[in-house]
Amino acid sequence: MSSITQEQHDPSPHIADYDGGHVPAGHSKVAPGEIAVGVVIGRASENFDFFVYGIASVLVFPSVFFPFESRLDGTLMSFGIFALAFIARPFGTTLFMEIQRRMGRGFKLTLALFLLGTATVGMAFLPSYGVLGGGAIVLLAFFRMLQGFALGGSWDGLPSLLALNAPAGKRGWYSMLGQLGAPIGFLIASALFLFLHANLSNDDFMDWGWRYPFFVAFAINVVALFARLRLVLTEEYTQLLEEGNLEPIGITEMFRAQGYNLFIGAFAALASYALFHLVTVFPLSWISLHSTQSIDSVLIVQIVGAVVGVLGTIASGVIADRFGRRNTLGTLAVLIGIFALFTPWLLDGGPAAQDAFILIGFALLGISYGQASGTVTANFLSRFRYTGAALTSDFAWLIGAAFAPFVALALSVKFGLAAVSIYLLSGAACTLVALKINRALESRD
């Protein structure tokens, strides 16, 4: 208890700039690069599953599951189901934390990834609305919720372990590695849909072609499962996790003791998470509805954008280690706010302007998102960090990203693209306020 008390009242003056902590003595030295492999593979597979659904919710689901609605309303309904996974995710985290406490980390991770793969591949077998009627929509919603529920359970603590084992002065660099999975997952999902959409007739694509990425997702999950189990089940890594206090605790105790940090952390990353779906899923829906350029052209630009996002994420590690993670996140929130002002002009322009929106957005996203995880979770006491990091991520996705495609499309149709600017500006403002509150709390402590 004394060590916990000391950590609480003697924080490093730069604690918010990294997932700081000390690596306890007495264990074998582990190369951070080895941990990073498991982190990147795991996050890329999870994000691939989610982006396969996100792209399909624009290109496929309005016609397959909502043919009785207009293209716009069908897309909005697809986006409504899209959000269900993010609502279910904190509940999955809560339940699977208890499963880990009772049955172990390996059992929890295997069960979670099995459910995630089952939910994803289950969508590939779904009959259309024309075959099953409303039952097809119910099953789609069920599998989507199961996706989110399982993803909440797939937390393995490796990103926190990676930060704890990062060399001094390189915490920003190693922390961004866990974030690389998102743009990599989106890149693979977009490339696969582009290949299928470009090489199949429209009838074949809508009949069976769209189902193939969901099968691929299951195979990727199997590979990711073994890659991660290889790390988290070995004696060496188990010792590291235990010595770093990276063990689950009760959710009630978590909220009672450190609940304020959960929400400060979620809002501190709001600009990044809101921007994520506004440059990935939303532009695809806006452009396809207005037919300003072909779907294949948009997918090509988004693949290039994902590469830009990967490079931006990598650059964020260098920038954060030089200027501080909180300074990086705050500066990018300001730049995202400025970018938001140009949204109407870019998205309502021609193909070149729309492409610029995607590419510039991905550049800002990469640098911001690369440091969005853990900027505040370093403030958790060590015994709360494992659960706190998982729930902070859950709430950041829920508050910032879950409803972003639905809200952006609905507002833009009703009030024009200026409403999307206001929406994104509000996310940037929340980030700046949360970072300011976090700094004030540190000063108080």
Coordinates of all heavy atoms in Angstrom, one line a residue, residues 15-20 39 43 89 155 157-163 171-182 264-270 272-273 276 313 316 320 325-326 328-329 365-380 385-386 388-394 396-397 431 435:
I15 N 4.3 13.2 -16.2 CA 3.6 11.9 -16.2 C 2.6 11.8 -17.3 O 2.3 10.8 -17.9 CB 3.0 11.6 -14.9 CG1 2.6 10.1 -14.8 CG2 1.8 12.5 -14.6 CD1 2.2 9.7 -13.4
A16 N 1.9 12.9 -17.6 CA 0.9 12.9 -18.6 C 1.4 12.8 -20.0 O 0.7 12.7 -21.0 CB 0.0 14.1 -18.5
D17 N 2.7 12.9 -20.2 CA 3.3 12.8 -21.5 C 3.6 11.4 -22.0 O 4.1 11.2 -23.1 CB 4.6 13.7 -21.6 CG 4.2 15.2 -21.6 OD1 3.1 15.5 -22.0 OD2 5.1 15.9 -21.2
Y18 N 3.4 10.4 -21.1 CA 3.6 9.1 -21.5 C 2.9 8.1 -20.5 O 2.5 8.5 -19.5 CB 5.1 8.7 -21.5 CG 5.9 9.1 -20.3 CD1 5.9 8.2 -19.2 CD2 6.5 10.3 -20.2 CE1 6.5 8.6 -18.0 CE2 7.2 10.6 -19.0 CZ 7.2 9.8 -17.9 OH 7.9 10.1 -16.8
D19 N 2.8 6.9 -21.0 CA 2.3 5.8 -20.1 C 3.4 5.4 -19.1 O 3.9 4.3 -19.2 CB 1.8 4.6 -20.9 CG 0.4 4.7 -21.3 OD1 -0.3 5.5 -20.7 OD2 0.0 4.0 -22.3
G20 N 3.8 6.3 -18.3 CA 5.0 6.2 -17.5 C 4.8 5.1 -16.5 O 3.8 4.6 -16.2
V39 N 1.4 -6.5 -30.2 CA 0.5 -5.3 -30.1 C 0.0 -5.0 -31.5 O -1.2 -4.8 -31.7 CB 1.2 -4.1 -29.5 CG1 0.3 -2.9 -29.5 CG2 1.5 -4.4 -28.0
R43 N -3.9 -5.4 -32.7 CA -4.8 -4.3 -33.0 C -5.2 -4.2 -34.5 O -6.2 -3.8 -34.8 CB -4.0 -3.0 -32.6 CG -3.7 -2.9 -31.1 CD -5.0 -3.0 -30.3 NE -4.7 -3.1 -28.8 CZ -4.5 -4.2 -28.2 NH1 -4.6 -5.4 -28.8 NH2 -4.2 -4.2 -26.9
R89 N -19.1 -2.6 -26.2 CA -17.7 -2.8 -25.9 C -17.4 -2.6 -24.4 O -16.8 -3.5 -23.8 CB -16.9 -1.9 -26.7 CG -15.4 -2.1 -26.6 CD -14.6 -1.3 -27.6 NE -13.2 -1.3 -27.4 CZ -12.3 -0.9 -28.2 NH1 -12.6 -0.4 -29.4 NH2 -11.0 -0.9 -27.9
W155 N -8.9 -7.3 -24.6 CA -7.8 -6.5 -24.1 C -6.8 -7.4 -23.4 O -7.1 -8.2 -22.6 CB -8.3 -5.5 -23.1 CG -7.3 -4.7 -22.3 CD1 -7.0 -4.8 -21.0 CD2 -6.4 -3.7 -22.9 NE1 -6.0 -3.9 -20.7 CE2 -5.6 -3.2 -21.8 CE3 -6.3 -3.1 -24.1 CZ2 -4.7 -2.2 -22.0 CZ3 -5.3 -2.1 -24.3 CH2 -4.6 -1.7 -23.3
G157 N -3.5 -6.1 -22.3 CA -2.5 -5.4 -21.5 C -1.2 -5.1 -22.1 O -0.3 -4.5 -21.6
L158 N -1.0 -5.7 -23.4 CA 0.3 -5.5 -24.0 C 0.7 -4.1 -24.3 O 1.9 -3.7 -24.2 CB 0.3 -6.4 -25.3 CG 0.4 -7.9 -25.1 CD1 0.3 -8.6 -26.4 CD2 1.7 -8.3 -24.4
P159 N -0.2 -3.2 -24.7 CA 0.2 -1.8 -24.9 C 0.8 -1.2 -23.6 O 1.8 -0.4 -23.7 CB -1.1 -1.1 -25.3 CG -1.9 -2.2 -26.0 CD -1.6 -3.4 -25.2
S160 N 0.1 -1.4 -22.5 CA 0.7 -0.9 -21.2 C 2.0 -1.5 -20.9 O 2.9 -0.9 -20.4 CB -0.3 -1.1 -20.1 OG -1.5 -0.4 -20.3
L161 N 2.1 -2.8 -21.1 CA 3.4 -3.5 -20.9 C 4.5 -3.0 -21.8 O 5.6 -2.8 -21.4 CB 3.2 -5.0 -21.1 CG 4.4 -5.9 -20.8 CD1 4.8 -5.8 -19.4 CD2 4.1 -7.3 -21.2
L162 N 4.1 -2.6 -23.0 CA 5.1 -2.1 -24.0 C 5.6 -0.7 -23.5 O 6.8 -0.4 -23.5 CB 4.4 -1.9 -25.3 CG 5.3 -1.3 -26.4 CD1 6.5 -2.1 -26.7 CD2 4.4 -1.1 -27.7
A163 N 4.6 0.1 -23.0 CA 5.0 1.4 -22.4 C 5.9 1.3 -21.2 O 6.9 2.0 -21.1 CB 3.8 2.2 -22.1
R171 N 9.2 6.7 -25.0 CA 7.8 6.3 -24.6 C 6.8 6.7 -25.7 O 5.8 5.9 -25.9 CB 7.4 6.8 -23.2 CG 8.4 6.3 -22.1 CD 7.9 6.6 -20.8 NE 8.9 6.2 -19.7 CZ 9.1 5.0 -19.3 NH1 8.4 4.0 -19.7 NH2 10.0 4.8 -18.4
G172 N 6.9 7.8 -26.2 CA 6.0 8.3 -27.3 C 6.1 7.4 -28.5 O 5.1 7.0 -29.1
W173 N 7.3 7.0 -28.8 CA 7.6 6.1 -30.0 C 6.9 4.7 -29.8 O 6.2 4.2 -30.6 CB 9.1 6.0 -30.2 CG 9.4 5.0 -31.3 CD1 9.8 3.7 -31.1 CD2 9.4 5.2 -32.7 NE1 10.0 3.1 -32.3 CE2 9.8 4.0 -33.3 CE3 9.1 6.3 -33.5 CZ2 9.9 3.9 -34.7 CZ3 9.3 6.2 -34.9 CH2 9.6 5.0 -35.4
Y174 N 7.2 4.1 -28.6 CA 6.7 2.8 -28.4 C 5.1 2.8 -28.1 O 4.5 1.8 -28.4 CB 7.4 2.1 -27.2 CG 8.7 1.6 -27.7 CD1 9.9 2.3 -27.5 CD2 8.8 0.3 -28.3 CE1 11.1 1.8 -27.9 CE2 10.0 -0.2 -28.7 CZ 11.2 0.6 -28.5 OH 12.4 0.1 -29.0
S175 N 4.6 3.9 -27.6 CA 3.2 4.0 -27.3 C 2.4 4.1 -28.6 O 1.3 3.6 -28.7 CB 2.9 5.2 -26.5 OG 3.4 5.0 -25.2
M176 N 3.0 4.7 -29.7 CA 2.3 4.8 -30.9 C 2.2 3.5 -31.7 O 1.4 3.3 -32.6 CB 3.0 5.9 -31.8 CG 4.3 5.5 -32.4 SD 4.2 4.5 -33.9 CE 6.0 4.2 -34.2
L177 N 3.1 2.5 -31.3 CA 3.0 1.2 -32.0 C 1.7 0.5 -31.9 O 1.2 -0.1 -32.9 CB 4.2 0.3 -31.5 CG 5.6 0.8 -31.9 CD1 6.6 -0.1 -31.2 CD2 5.8 0.8 -33.4
G178 N 1.1 0.6 -30.7 CA -0.3 0.0 -30.6 C -1.3 0.7 -31.4 O -2.3 0.1 -31.8
Q179 N -1.1 2.0 -31.7 CA -2.1 2.7 -32.6 C -1.9 2.4 -34.0 O -2.8 2.7 -34.8 CB -1.9 4.2 -32.3 CG -2.0 4.6 -30.8 CD -3.4 4.4 -30.3 OE1 -3.7 3.3 -29.8 NE2 -4.3 5.3 -30.3
L180 N -0.8 1.8 -34.4 CA -0.6 1.5 -35.9 C -1.7 0.5 -36.4 O -1.9 0.5 -37.6 CB 0.8 0.9 -36.1 CG 1.9 1.9 -36.2 CD1 3.3 1.1 -36.3 CD2 1.8 2.8 -37.5
G181 N -2.2 -0.3 -35.5 CA -3.1 -1.3 -36.0 C -4.4 -0.7 -36.7 O -4.9 -1.4 -37.6
A182 N -4.8 0.5 -36.3 CA -6.0 1.0 -36.9 C -5.8 1.4 -38.3 O -6.6 0.9 -39.2 CB -6.5 2.2 -36.0
I264 N -11.9 11.8 -18.2 CA -10.9 12.8 -18.7 C -10.1 12.2 -19.9 O -9.9 12.8 -20.9 CB -10.0 13.2 -17.6 CG1 -10.8 14.0 -16.5 CG2 -8.9 14.1 -18.1 CD1 -10.0 14.4 -15.3
G265 N -9.7 10.9 -19.7 CA -9.0 10.2 -20.8 C -9.8 10.1 -22.0 O -9.3 10.3 -23.1
A266 N -11.1 9.7 -21.9 CA -11.9 9.6 -23.1 C -12.1 10.9 -23.8 O -12.0 11.0 -25.1 CB -13.3 9.0 -22.7
F267 N -12.3 12.0 -23.1 CA -12.5 13.3 -23.7 C -11.2 13.9 -24.2 O -11.3 14.7 -25.2 CB -13.2 14.2 -22.8 CG -14.7 14.0 -22.7 CD1 -15.3 13.3 -21.7 CD2 -15.6 14.5 -23.6 CE1 -16.6 13.0 -21.6 CE2 -16.9 14.3 -23.6 CZ -17.5 13.6 -22.6
A268 N -10.1 13.5 -23.6 CA -8.8 14.0 -24.1 C -8.5 13.6 -25.5 O -7.8 14.2 -26.2 CB -7.7 13.6 -23.1
A269 N -9.1 12.4 -25.8 CA -8.8 11.8 -27.2 C -10.0 12.1 -28.1 O -10.0 11.5 -29.2 CB -8.5 10.3 -27.0
L270 N -10.9 12.9 -27.7 CA -12.2 13.0 -28.5 C -11.9 13.5 -29.9 O -12.5 13.0 -30.9 CB -13.2 13.9 -27.8 CG -14.6 13.8 -28.2 CD1 -15.1 12.4 -27.9 CD2 -15.5 14.8 -27.5
S272 N -9.4 13.1 -31.9 CA -8.8 12.0 -32.7 C -9.8 11.0 -33.1 O -9.9 10.6 -34.3 CB -7.7 11.4 -31.9 OG -6.7 12.3 -31.6
Y273 N -10.6 10.6 -32.1 CA -11.6 9.5 -32.4 C -12.7 10.0 -33.3 O -13.3 9.2 -34.1 CB -12.1 8.9 -31.1 CG -11.1 8.0 -30.4 CD1 -10.1 8.5 -29.6 CD2 -11.1 6.6 -30.6 CE1 -9.1 7.7 -29.0 CE2 -10.1 5.8 -30.1 CZ -9.1 6.4 -29.3 OH -8.2 5.6 -28.7
F276 N -11.5 10.1 -36.8 CA -11.2 8.8 -37.4 C -12.3 8.4 -38.4 O -12.1 8.0 -39.5 CB -11.1 7.7 -36.3 CG -10.1 6.6 -36.7 CD1 -9.0 6.4 -35.9 CD2 -10.4 5.8 -37.8 CE1 -8.1 5.4 -36.3 CE2 -9.5 4.8 -38.1 CZ -8.4 4.6 -37.4
T313 N 1.2 8.3 -37.9 CA 1.3 7.7 -36.6 C 2.7 7.4 -36.2 O 3.1 7.7 -35.1 CB 0.6 6.3 -36.7 OG1 -0.8 6.5 -37.1 CG2 0.5 5.6 -35.3
S316 N 4.3 10.6 -35.2 CA 3.8 11.1 -33.9 C 4.7 10.6 -32.7 O 4.9 11.3 -31.7 CB 2.4 10.6 -33.6 OG 2.4 9.2 -33.3
A320 N 6.2 13.3 -30.3 CA 5.8 13.3 -28.9 C 7.0 13.2 -28.0 O 7.1 13.8 -26.9 CB 4.9 12.1 -28.7
R325 N 3.8 14.3 -25.1 CA 2.5 13.7 -25.7 C 1.3 14.6 -25.5 O 0.5 14.8 -26.4 CB 2.3 12.4 -25.0 CG 3.3 11.4 -25.3 CD 3.0 10.0 -24.7 NE 1.8 9.4 -25.3 CZ 1.2 8.4 -24.9 NH1 1.6 7.8 -23.8 NH2 0.2 7.9 -25.5
R326 N 1.2 15.3 -24.4 CA 0.1 16.2 -24.2 C 0.2 17.4 -25.1 O -0.8 17.8 -25.6 CB 0.0 16.6 -22.7 CG -1.2 17.5 -22.4 CD -1.5 17.6 -20.9 NE -0.3 18.0 -20.2 CZ -0.1 17.8 -18.9 NH1 -1.1 17.3 -18.2 NH2 1.0 18.2 -18.3
T328 N 1.6 17.5 -28.0 CA 1.3 17.0 -29.3 C -0.2 16.9 -29.5 O -0.8 17.3 -30.5 CB 2.0 15.6 -29.6 OG1 3.4 15.8 -29.4 CG2 1.7 15.1 -31.0
L329 N -0.9 16.3 -28.5 CA -2.3 16.0 -28.7 C -3.1 17.4 -28.7 O -4.0 17.6 -29.4 CB -2.8 15.2 -27.5 CG -4.1 14.4 -27.7 CD1 -4.1 13.5 -28.9 CD2 -4.5 13.6 -26.5
L365 N -5.0 12.9 -38.6 CA -5.4 11.7 -37.8 C -4.2 10.9 -37.3 O -4.2 10.5 -36.1 CB -6.4 10.9 -38.6 CG -6.8 9.6 -37.9 CD1 -7.7 9.9 -36.7 CD2 -7.6 8.7 -38.9
G366 N -3.3 10.6 -38.2 CA -2.2 9.8 -37.8 C -1.4 10.3 -36.7 O -1.1 9.6 -35.7
I367 N -1.0 11.6 -36.8 CA -0.2 12.2 -35.7 C -1.0 12.3 -34.4 O -0.5 12.1 -33.3 CB 0.2 13.6 -36.2 CG1 1.1 13.5 -37.5 CG2 1.1 14.3 -35.1 CD1 1.5 14.9 -38.1
S368 N -2.3 12.7 -34.5 CA -3.1 12.8 -33.3 C -3.4 11.5 -32.7 O -3.2 11.3 -31.5 CB -4.4 13.6 -33.7 OG -5.2 13.7 -32.5
Y369 N -4.0 10.6 -33.5 CA -4.4 9.2 -33.0 C -3.2 8.5 -32.5 O -3.3 7.7 -31.5 CB -5.1 8.5 -34.1 CG -5.5 7.1 -33.7 CD1 -6.6 6.9 -32.9 CD2 -4.9 6.0 -34.1 CE1 -7.1 5.7 -32.5 CE2 -5.3 4.7 -33.7 CZ -6.4 4.6 -32.9 OH -6.8 3.3 -32.5
G370 N -2.0 8.7 -33.1 CA -0.8 8.0 -32.6 C -0.5 8.2 -31.2 O 0.2 7.4 -30.5
Q371 N -0.9 9.4 -30.6 CA -0.6 9.6 -29.2 C -1.9 9.8 -28.4 O -1.9 10.2 -27.2 CB 0.2 10.9 -29.1 CG 1.5 10.9 -29.8 CD 2.4 9.7 -29.2 OE1 2.5 9.5 -28.0 NE2 3.0 9.0 -30.1
A372 N -3.0 9.4 -28.9 CA -4.3 9.5 -28.2 C -4.5 8.5 -27.1 O -5.2 8.7 -26.2 CB -5.5 9.4 -29.2
S373 N -3.8 7.4 -27.2 CA -3.9 6.3 -26.2 C -2.9 6.5 -25.1 O -1.7 6.6 -25.3 CB -3.8 5.0 -26.8 OG -3.8 4.0 -25.8
G374 N -3.4 6.7 -23.8 CA -2.5 6.7 -22.7 C -2.0 8.0 -22.2 O -1.3 8.1 -21.3
T375 N -2.4 9.1 -22.9 CA -2.0 10.4 -22.5 C -2.4 10.7 -21.1 O -1.8 11.4 -20.3 CB -2.5 11.5 -23.5 OG1 -2.0 11.2 -24.8 CG2 -2.1 12.9 -23.1
V376 N -3.6 10.2 -20.7 CA -4.1 10.4 -19.4 C -4.0 9.2 -18.5 O -4.0 9.2 -17.3 CB -5.6 11.0 -19.4 CG1 -6.2 11.0 -18.0 CG2 -5.6 12.3 -20.1
T377 N -4.0 8.0 -19.2 CA -4.0 6.7 -18.4 C -2.8 6.6 -17.5 O -2.8 5.8 -16.6 CB -4.2 5.5 -19.3 OG1 -3.2 5.5 -20.3 CG2 -5.6 5.5 -20.0
A378 N -1.7 7.4 -17.9 CA -0.6 7.3 -17.0 C -0.9 7.8 -15.6 O -0.1 7.5 -14.7 CB 0.6 8.2 -17.6
N379 N -2.0 8.5 -15.4 CA -2.3 9.1 -14.1 C -3.0 8.0 -13.2 O -3.1 8.2 -12.0 CB -3.3 10.2 -14.3 CG -2.6 11.4 -14.9 OD1 -1.4 11.5 -15.0 ND2 -3.4 12.4 -15.3
F380 N -3.4 6.8 -13.8 CA -3.9 5.8 -13.0 C -2.9 5.2 -12.0 O -1.7 5.1 -12.4 CB -4.5 4.6 -13.8 CG -5.7 5.0 -14.6 CD1 -5.7 5.1 -16.0 CD2 -6.9 5.2 -13.9 CE1 -6.9 5.3 -16.7 CE2 -8.1 5.4 -14.6 CZ -8.1 5.5 -16.0
R385 N -4.2 0.5 -13.7 CA -3.9 0.8 -15.1 C -4.4 -0.2 -16.1 O -4.8 0.2 -17.2 CB -2.3 1.0 -15.2 CG -1.9 1.4 -16.6 CD -0.5 1.9 -16.6 NE -0.4 3.0 -15.7 CZ 0.8 3.6 -15.4 NH1 1.9 3.0 -15.8 NH2 0.9 4.6 -14.6
Y386 N -4.3 -1.5 -15.7 CA -4.8 -2.5 -16.7 C -6.2 -2.3 -17.1 O -6.6 -2.2 -18.2 CB -4.6 -3.9 -16.1 CG -4.9 -5.1 -17.0 CD1 -4.0 -5.6 -17.9 CD2 -6.2 -5.6 -16.9 CE1 -4.4 -6.6 -18.7 CE2 -6.6 -6.7 -17.7 CZ -5.7 -7.2 -18.6 OH -6.0 -8.3 -19.4
G388 N -8.1 0.4 -16.2 CA -8.3 1.8 -16.6 C -8.0 2.0 -18.1 O -8.7 2.7 -18.8
A389 N -6.9 1.5 -18.6 CA -6.5 1.7 -20.0 C -7.6 1.1 -20.9 O -7.9 1.7 -21.9 CB -5.2 1.1 -20.2
A390 N -8.1 -0.1 -20.6 CA -9.1 -0.7 -21.4 C -10.4 0.1 -21.4 O -10.9 0.3 -22.5 CB -9.4 -2.1 -20.9
L391 N -10.9 0.5 -20.3 CA -12.1 1.2 -20.2 C -12.0 2.6 -20.8 O -12.9 3.2 -21.4 CB -12.6 1.3 -18.8 CG -13.2 0.0 -18.2 CD1 -13.6 0.2 -16.8 CD2 -14.5 -0.4 -19.0
T392 N -10.8 3.3 -20.7 CA -10.6 4.6 -21.3 C -10.7 4.5 -22.8 O -11.4 5.3 -23.4 CB -9.3 5.2 -20.9 OG1 -9.2 5.3 -19.5 CG2 -9.0 6.5 -21.5
S393 N -10.1 3.5 -23.4 CA -10.2 3.3 -24.8 C -11.7 3.0 -25.2 O -12.2 3.5 -26.2 CB -9.3 2.1 -25.2 OG -9.5 1.8 -26.6
D394 N -12.4 2.2 -24.4 CA -13.8 1.9 -24.7 C -14.6 3.2 -24.8 O -15.4 3.4 -25.7 CB -14.4 0.9 -23.7 CG -13.8 -0.5 -23.7 OD1 -13.1 -0.8 -24.7 OD2 -14.0 -1.2 -22.8
A396 N -13.6 6.3 -25.1 CA -13.1 7.2 -26.1 C -13.8 6.8 -27.5 O -14.3 7.7 -28.2 CB -11.6 7.1 -26.3
W397 N -13.8 5.5 -27.8 CA -14.5 5.1 -29.0 C -16.0 5.3 -29.0 O -16.6 5.8 -30.0 CB -14.2 3.6 -29.3 CG -12.9 3.3 -29.9 CD1 -11.8 2.6 -29.2 CD2 -12.4 3.5 -31.2 NE1 -10.7 2.5 -30.1 CE2 -11.1 3.1 -31.3 CE3 -13.0 4.1 -32.3 CZ2 -10.3 3.2 -32.5 CZ3 -12.3 4.3 -33.5 CH2 -10.9 3.8 -33.5
T431 N -11.3 18.0 -26.4 CA -9.9 17.6 -26.1 C -9.1 18.6 -25.4 O -8.4 18.3 -24.4 CB -9.3 17.2 -27.5 OG1 -9.8 16.1 -28.0 CG2 -7.8 17.0 -27.3
L435 N -7.6 18.1 -21.6 CA -6.2 18.2 -21.3 C -5.9 19.3 -20.3 O -5.0 19.2 -19.4 CB -5.4 18.6 -22.6 CG -5.4 17.4 -23.6 CD1 -4.8 17.9 -24.9 CD2 -4.7 16.2 -23.1

